[in-house]
Amino acid sequence: MSPERELDPEALGDHIDRLYRAARGLCGSREEAEDLVQETFARVLRKPRILRSDDDIGYLLRVLRNTFVSTRRTAARRPQTTALPDDLDLVEDRSSVRPEQRLESEELYAAISALPDDFRDALISIDIVGLSYREAAKALGVREATITTRLHRARQRVAKQLTDEPPPVGDPPSQSLER
């Protein structure tokens, strides 16, 4: 086991792309993901952080997820308002090579954010952030076999949702039976 060390605030920028992709998978929208990453960095930088391993990204992913959960809990306590359809404006993504690519990306992130928490966390850790199965298992505090199962089921659900097919029979609709 490596000795304790302080998280280097200068190195946080090295992880911003991976954290943004993870946040995008959690939130489903670009704007919320940017806010989530910013809030995560603000929390990490408030005080010195002591790490017991060399796994900066694993630690940052846990902080990101905890920040996401805290934000959702706080938002759930507030009164909800709904925008009228007349108020919606479509914004062109100028960085997209093909306009339909932006729509496909939005659908994908929306499908990921609609997954149950356990499935979503596994999919984000492996497919979006690029962690190994072992790293994801350690970051999420579960066995590697559990990550494999959750990832498989998450991929199935996203694929089914994107192809507009119903979920497979026998697969729980929104709750994971694994713990």
Side-chain angles (χ1 to χ4, degrees), residues 15-71:
H15 306 294
I16 196 165
D17 290 340
R18 294 168 87 184
L19 286 175
Y20 172 74
R21 290 193 310 265
R24 183 82 187 264
L26 284 170
C27 299
S29 84
R30 181 177 48 86
E31 295 81 10
E32 286 183 52
E34 289 170 355
D35 291 344
L36 179 58
V37 171
Q38 184 175 6
E39 178 62 25
T40 300
F41 281 161
R43 285 186 182 196
V44 168
L45 293 172
R46 279 188 195 130
K47 62 182 180 181
R49 302 295 175 143
I50 305 300
L51 302 181
R52 291 175 183 81
S53 70
D54 294 331
D55 189 19
D56 287 1
I57 190 67
Y59 174 77
L60 292 171
L61 279 174
R62 284 190 299 276
V63 174
L64 179 87
R65 186 177 183 289
N66 291 341
T67 303
F68 171 74
V69 170
S70 297
T71 304

Side-chain angles (χ1 to χ4, degrees), residues 33-163:
E34 289 170 355
D35 291 344
L36 179 58
V37 171
Q38 184 175 6
E39 178 62 25
T40 300
F41 281 161
R43 285 186 182 196
V44 168
L45 293 172
R46 279 188 195 130
K47 62 182 180 181
R49 302 295 175 143
I50 305 300
L51 302 181
R52 291 175 183 81
S53 70
D54 294 331
D55 189 19
D56 287 1
I57 190 67
Y59 174 77
L60 292 171
L61 279 174
R62 284 190 299 276
V63 174
L64 179 87
R65 186 177 183 289
N66 291 341
T67 303
F68 171 74
V69 170
S70 297
T71 304
R72 290 292 162 114
R73 282 185 188 143
T74 302
R77 287 185 228 126
R78 292 190 188 122
Q80 300 295 315
T81 59
T82 306
L84 298 173
D86 298 341
D87 296 338
L88 298 177
D89 293 325
L90 298 178
V91 178
E92 180 182 350
D93 183 2
R94 298 182 201 285
S95 65
S96 178
V97 177
R98 304 174 304 148
E100 64 273 6
Q101 185 178 16
R102 182 185 64 79
L103 294 174
E104 291 167 2
S105 176
E106 292 293 326
E107 289 175 22
L108 175 62
Y109 280 109
I112 293 170
S113 68
L115 289 171
D117 293 348
D118 294 340
F119 292 171
R120 184 183 61 229
D121 292 344
L123 186 85
I124 288 170
S125 298
I126 303 292
D127 289 346
I128 296 179
V129 176
L131 296 180
S132 69
Y133 285 63
R134 178 170 289 159
E135 292 169 330
K138 185 177 176 184
L140 297 174
V142 296
R143 294 184 1 244
E144 234 177 285
T146 303
I147 290 293
T148 304
T149 302
R150 290 177 182 174
L151 181 62
H152 175 73
R153 291 181 179 169
R155 286 174 177 166
Q156 279 185 323
R157 286 183 179 208
V158 169
K160 298 288 185 201
Q161 187 169 347
L162 293 177
T163 58

